[in-house]
Amino acid sequence: MTHSNLHRKRWQFFGLLFAKALLLTLALAPASSKASLPHHHDNDVLRVAAPARERVFARLSPYGEGFEPDLVERFARTYGYRIEWLSAADRAEALDMLRRNRADLAVGFTEAPCADDAIASGPSYAHERPVEVRARHADGREPEVLRDEYEAPVMQTAAFTPDAEGLHATGAPARTAAMPDRQEGSALPATAHETPTIIDGASWALWQPFVHTESRAATLESPLTYRWHWRAGAPRLDANLRGFWQARQHPVDTMLDDLTEQYFGFLPETLDPYDLKELSDTVEDRVPRYGRTIAKAASKAGLDPLLLTAVIFQESRFNPNARSHTGVRGIMQLTQETAIDLKVNRMDPDQSIRGGARYLRMIWDSLEELNLDPWDRWFFTLAGFNQGPGHLRDAIRLSQELGGSGRTWRELKEVFPKLARAKYYTRARYGYCRGYEAVDFVESVRWYYYVLSGLVVLDRPEAKHLAPLLAVRGTPVAPFI
């Protein structure tokens, strides 16, 4: 062995001894010494701080995990992160978690960009009008659903309190199913046993159908702005997030629009308390009569039985003798031609339900080649059920002719009504179509499906009448299994 080789071997030997000694010292160091070491985590793990809000994590909705989780998941998938969700009661706690390197990203919070060099803020991506809500039980207690939503805390923020400067009522009190006769007005004077809170308009719209207590709400002028915040001291994360949001600003990017449509596009502009009351009464009085048939038909067709229930309610209000001027008949409002093809008697409610479920599945299967997002495929299926598969294909082609992709319901709901105009239906393969009815049908079914799912999640009294359906429902990740 040469002298140089021997020298190198000695240094390798002493280096190994030194490394072992260092590891032993660290292993035996007291806890206080270890705590003083810098905090590190896997760079591929994205720690996301978020509040437990319905707008963020969807508890009531059957349409997915929630707007923010889906958006974060798309970012993580693009840049190769694994997500770790952390709970943050409010924006102040979330920002503190970023400063202390206990979180990398904060989502689901409103207000302006953070004036802190350690924290970067993304562009605003959603604007919601705040709503002042005053709700109470007869004994003065606040409804649990609202308390859960804002005292968790959820929508209450330091910048928006009921007496905050600059918030002025612009709308009329909201009406719930429990208060259809309330007079409209723009002012919300305080009354005994009422505690006001400020929530964003989307969250109120999501919760409102389940607040079956006396409540009043008025839209306020100053908007709530949503944006992401993250640690500015993480170069790779900072660059990736800036790149992600820069892509969202591109004119052809539709990610935010598509997610907004998925989670909020079905919400009615004005809640109809009489319509909700009719749905509640139908669930109690009529659904039990057909519950087993719905459950079996849905199971055989691979549908969520609550979806099938929503379709029946929209079609006939569960009236087996329902008739329309367009010629459709029965509880599922089938055409004579469709009933013959399905080999069912459309005026027999049990046969009609089985045939309707099978028809929905047939339309769903016929869209396989389009490789659509599951939710868009569902909305396309409902439109085809209402107006026929041929008119659905006409709408897809028209969307593409007008520069769209023809692959999203967000596009098709804008195009379908055009097929009722001569300028468009004269060059469509299947001719005139009441496309506006297709849009109304799909959005109504989405709304009723949402309400029914919420009743089950909240274990409301109406849910017991849906028990025969729930036995076969399981936990579907999409309306078609």
Side-chain angles (χ1 to χ4, degrees):
M1 179 180 296
T2 65
H3 178 74
S4 59
N5 287 338
L6 179 61
H7 184 71
R8 186 166 57 253
K9 290 288 186 180
R10 286 176 178 174
W11 275 112
Q12 291 175 349
F13 175 74
F14 285 117
L16 182 60
L17 287 179
F18 177 78
K20 288 183 176 181
L22 178 60
L23 289 174
L24 182 61
T25 300
L26 291 174
L28 296 178
S32 60
S33 297
K34 294 179 184 179
S36 65
L37 294 175
H39 175 74
H40 296 288
H41 76 286
D42 189 341
N43 287 331
D44 292 329
V45 174
L46 182 68
R47 302 165 300 172
V48 186
R53 302 177 183 175
E54 182 63 27
R55 192 187 186 284
V56 179
F57 296 104
R59 285 197 298 159
L60 308 175
S61 177
Y63 301 121
E65 296 298 320
F67 180 93
E68 297 289 353
D70 273 10
L71 191 57
V72 172
E73 173 61 32
R74 296 187 186 203
F75 167 75
R77 188 166 59 244
T78 299
Y79 293 98
Y81 291 99
R82 291 180 291 111
I83 304 170
E84 177 185 334
W85 289 100
L86 305 173
S87 176
D90 53 33
R91 181 175 181 267
E93 180 180 357
L95 296 183
D96 186 63
M97 293 170 71
L98 295 178
R99 293 186 188 96
R100 295 173 178 269
N101 193 15
R102 294 177 179 174
D104 305 301
L105 175 66
V107 304
F109 298 100
T110 61
E111 301 180 30
C114 180
D116 188 326
D117 291 341
I119 297 174
S121 300
S124 61
Y125 59 91
H127 303 273
E128 293 286 347
R129 285 287 185 87
V131 176
E132 179 186 355
V133 181
R134 295 178 183 270
R136 64 173 181 171
H137 286 290
D139 60 3
R141 293 181 297 110
E142 295 171 87
E144 290 186 6
V145 292
L146 281 183
R147 188 170 66 247
D148 290 345
E149 182 69 2
Y150 69 81
E151 283 192 0
V154 179
M155 298 312 303
Q156 189 85 0
T157 70
F160 291 94
T161 60
D163 298 321
E165 182 179 357
L167 293 181
H168 306 288
T170 60
R175 299 190 296 173
T176 69
M179 47 171 290
D181 296 322
R182 175 171 293 280
Q183 297 297 313
E184 294 186 354
S186 59
L188 289 183
T191 62
H193 305 301
E194 287 187 333
T195 300
T197 188
I198 305 297
I199 67 176
D200 75 71
S203 292
W204 171 237
L206 292 168
W207 275 110
Q208 191 179 5
F210 310 107
V211 182
H212 295 298
T213 58
E214 184 178 5
S215 65
R216 300 183 299 159
T219 302
L220 308 178
E221 291 180 352
S222 302
L224 295 168
T225 300
Y226 283 86
R227 63 181 78 241
W228 284 6
H229 308 281
W230 60 87
R231 290 193 303 116
R236 176 194 170 209
L237 177 67
D238 185 66
N240 290 343
L241 281 163
R242 292 183 186 280
F244 178 78
W245 282 110
Q246 184 176 5
R248 304 289 76 76
Q249 310 304 311
H250 197 283
V252 301
D253 185 82
T254 64
M255 183 183 295
L256 293 172
D257 292 335
D258 292 339
L259 286 177
T260 299
E261 175 62 42
Q262 177 177 325
Y263 285 101
F264 312 116
F266 61 92
L267 293 172
E269 292 185 8
T270 303
L271 183 141
D272 184 347
Y274 299 101
D275 188 51
L276 283 180
K277 183 65 165 57
E278 186 176 12
L279 176 61
S280 178
D281 291 344
T282 300
V283 168
E284 180 178 355
D285 300 331
R286 297 189 177 187
V287 170
R289 157 68 179 83
Y290 304 106
R292 293 186 182 279
T293 300
I294 294 172
K296 290 181 180 179
S299 178
K300 187 171 183 179
L303 280 66
D304 183 344
L306 292 184
L307 164 67
L308 186 54
T309 302
V311 171
I312 297 172
F313 181 75
Q314 170 61 20
E315 286 286 18
S316 68
R317 292 324 196 240
F318 276 77
N319 178 4
N321 300 312
R323 296 172 179 268
S324 169
H325 67 279
T326 61
V328 295
R329 300 284 188 273
I331 200 169
M332 289 290 287
Q333 293 288 277
L334 301 175
T335 65
Q336 181 63 26
E337 180 182 4
T338 300
I340 292 173
D341 289 342
L342 295 170
K343 296 181 172 58
V344 298
N345 176 1
R346 60 180 177 163
M347 298 308 294
D348 179 300
D350 295 313
Q351 289 190 40
S352 184
I353 290 171
R354 288 193 292 269
R358 196 160 73 249
Y359 187 40
L360 282 165
R361 184 70 203 206
M362 289 168 58
I363 298 173
W364 164 269
D365 289 341
S366 73
L367 300 173
E368 177 71 29
E369 82 229 28
L370 299 181
N371 193 30
L372 302 171
D373 174 90
W375 296 108
D376 286 312
R377 186 173 172 183
W378 171 39
F379 305 151
F380 280 33
T381 297
L382 291 174
F385 183 88
N386 179 255
Q387 291 296 310
H391 291 306
L392 171 63
R393 295 287 179 165
D394 279 347
I396 293 173
R397 283 190 288 269
L398 179 57
S399 174
Q400 293 169 341
E401 290 174 8
L402 296 177
S405 68
R407 298 177 50 80
T408 70
W409 175 245
R410 180 182 56 79
E411 293 177 335
L412 246 61
K413 69 189 293 185
E414 299 297 325
V415 167
F416 244 119
K418 296 181 185 298
L419 291 175
R421 296 163 56 184
K423 176 181 178 180
Y424 298 101
Y425 73 71
T426 52
R427 51 194 177 95
R429 179 177 180 182
Y430 293 92
Y432 175 81
C433 169
R434 299 182 304 278
Y436 50 89
E437 291 185 5
V439 175
D440 180 69
F441 177 82
V442 174
E443 301 302 79
S444 295
V445 171
R446 293 174 67 189
W447 168 243
Y448 296 135
Y449 183 39
Y450 171 80
V451 173
L452 291 170
S453 298
L455 292 175
V456 171
V457 170
L458 294 173
D459 195 24
R460 285 300 175 82
E462 297 93 335
K464 68 182 180 181
H465 302 294
L466 300 171
L469 311 181
L470 305 181
V472 300
R473 188 187 188 211
T475 309
V477 295
F480 292 92
I481 304 170

